[in-house]
Amino acid sequence: MKIDIISVVPRLMESFFAHSILSRAREKGLLEVNIFNLRDYTGHKNGQVDDYQFGGGAGLVLMIEPLVNAIESLKKNTQYDEIIFLTPDGEKFEQRKANALSLKENLLLICGHYKGIDQRVRDNFVTKEISIGDYVLSGGEIAAAVIVDAIGRLLPGVLNDETSALMDSFQDKLLAPPVFTRPEVFRGWKVPEILMSGNHSKIEEWRHDQSQQRTKERRPDLLDEGQQNEIART
Ligand code: 6GU
């Protein structure tokens, strides 16, 4: 899978992907991430990429010309499945969307800044607009990093344990159960006995039950009616 990213702070972006799981995915050739500096595509003096908005008002807007230059130049080499603009007024990103995007071949992410980007870019090039939550960030870069991380770890071969991505919180609309590792007793705090029993079906039952209890307590909004009924019965 290939993800191209257009940003005005490319060096900040690089650092997100230079470590841990995602760098391993890149080394293994499972994920290609390329970051492009919007300033390389401006014909304006001093690398100008933003300007005051028509109609007045505070805040600069990323200009149409450098963005269209960048998008059209990248489109010459790659057929994108989606051109995604990261913006607080986009559709909310969640696990289901990460799953769907992880099945695509080529994505182009556009990071906004300041007041946003000229609407004509959104109308004529962008195919999807995504927000990572109901709060405002100073730029789309952190949101892009969130999305690349969430997608990247789903790609086959990226995680060592093939099943673990499927066991995550949210994959089945349940939060993950608690986990423990050695030592079995620390300062008198014991690991639940069931986990030491070696009875795998009982352990799975316990984990499922813990997931449901956690979800009910912390995120009842995730439980659909069917799951709520299942909990009510137990
Ligand atoms: Cl994608 N961008 C910005 N600037 N702020 C956000 C966001 C994106 N998602 C939530 N807040």
Side-chain angles (χ1 to χ4, degrees), residues 26 42 87 176 179 191-192:
R26 289 173 87 178
T42 181
T87 176
V179 293
V191 171

Side-chain angles (χ1 to χ4, degrees), residues 191-211:
V191 171
E193 228 159 89
I194 179 82
L195 295 176
M196 322 308 278
S197 69
N199 184 334
H200 292 293
S201 66
K202 282 273 178 244
I203 290 171
E204 278 320 301
E205 212 173 282
W206 179 85
R207 284 184 173 149
H208 186 63
D209 186 58
Q210 290 285 316
S211 283

